[in-house]
């Protein structure tokens, strides 16, 4: 948990330049990713939870590498770091919320 706090503390001025509209867009992207993952997760609650969380957080590291390699020193890197924070902290919040969902509809896999 120290990682996001360290990023926020050291990059506060840079992150503060992002407008409210940008933060809201990142939140909507997170919610859309969670929803798509949940819908594609099939009938089992455990699978839905796992797919929703991995869909919401996937590819942030790849996006950071691409942004840093191709757009170093631009606002693209700031945007990717900001979305990385939003998706990581948002997914953590949803993971804690998902823990309260009972796993009553998990079906066995028939081979």
């Amino acid at each position: 948990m120290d990682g996001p706090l360290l990023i926020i503390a050291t990059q506060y001025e840079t992150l503060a330049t992002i407008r409210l509209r940008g933060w809201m867009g990142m939140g909507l992207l997170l919610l859309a990713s969670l929803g798509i993952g949940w819908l594609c997760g099939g009938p089992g609650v455990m699978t839905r939870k796992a797919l929703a969380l991995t869909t919401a957080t996937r590819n942030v590291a790849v996006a950071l590498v691409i942004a840093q390699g191709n757009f170093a020193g631009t606002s693209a890197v700031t945007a990717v770091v900001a979305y990385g924070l939003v998706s990581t902290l948002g997914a953590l919040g949803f993971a804690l919320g998902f823990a309260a969902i009972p796993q009553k509809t998990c079906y066995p896999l028939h081979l």
Side-chain angles (χ1 to χ4, degrees), residues 1-2 9 11-12 14 20 25 28 59 62 79-80 84-85 90 103 107:
M1 190 66 182
D2 291 338
Q11 300 298 320
Y12 177 76
T14 306
L20 179 61
L28 286 174
N59 297 330
V62 173
V80 173
L85 287 170
Q103 298 168 8
Y107 304 107

Side-chain angles (χ1 to χ4, degrees), residues 38 41-50 98 101-110:
W38 183 268
V45 174
M46 291 178 66
T47 306
R48 286 182 168 205
K49 291 178 189 181
F98 285 166
I101 298 174
Q103 298 168 8
K104 61 184 175 192
T105 58
C106 294
Y107 304 107
L109 181 62
H110 298 288

Side-chain angles (χ1 to χ4, degrees), residues 30 33-38 40-41 46-60 83 87 91-92 94-95 98:
L30 172 67
S33 297
L34 285 164
I36 290 168
W38 183 268
C40 293
M46 291 178 66
T47 306
R48 286 182 168 205
K49 291 178 189 181
L51 196 57
L53 292 173
T54 55
T55 302
T57 58
R58 68 179 301 182
N59 297 330
V60 172
Y83 182 70
S87 68
L92 175 63
F94 276 93
F98 285 166

